[in-house]
Amino acid sequence: MASLDRLDAGAHTARVSAAEQDRLHREAREDAARRYLLSRGLDDVAEILGLTEPAVSVKQRRSRVGGNRRAA
């Protein structure tokens, strides 16, 4: 665990920066949400929320912005 790397020399307490604490808490919440959604068969919702990788990579066509198109 990353927080164990920052042990204070004499007090035996872990010092973790606020940003690292936030990251660890966010990862724990995302993991809990992922487990909850996947256990209930809501794989598509987990994918929409970015908790899982997309099942199929979809390439989007790029549309032209502006340009001179001829009227047909």
Side-chain angles (χ1 to χ4, degrees):
M1 193 170 178
S3 63
L4 296 178
D5 294 339
R6 292 181 168 63
L7 288 176
D8 194 16
H12 300 290
T13 59
R15 289 189 176 186
V16 183
S17 71
E20 192 169 352
Q21 287 176 356
D22 184 49
R23 182 184 57 81
L24 292 171
H25 182 68
R26 187 177 344 101
E27 287 176 358
R29 284 190 331 206
E30 287 177 357
D31 188 43
R34 182 182 308 105
R35 282 194 318 266
Y36 177 84
L37 291 170
L38 295 179
S39 69
R40 284 160 178 74
L42 300 171
D43 300 355
D44 54 341
V45 176
E47 183 179 327
I48 291 169
L49 294 175
L51 299 173
T52 58
E53 293 294 321
V56 178
S57 177
V58 178
K59 288 189 175 184
Q60 295 180 351
R61 293 179 53 180
R62 295 178 69 183
S63 62
R64 292 179 57 172
V65 178
N68 54 357
R69 292 186 175 174
R70 287 190 244 172

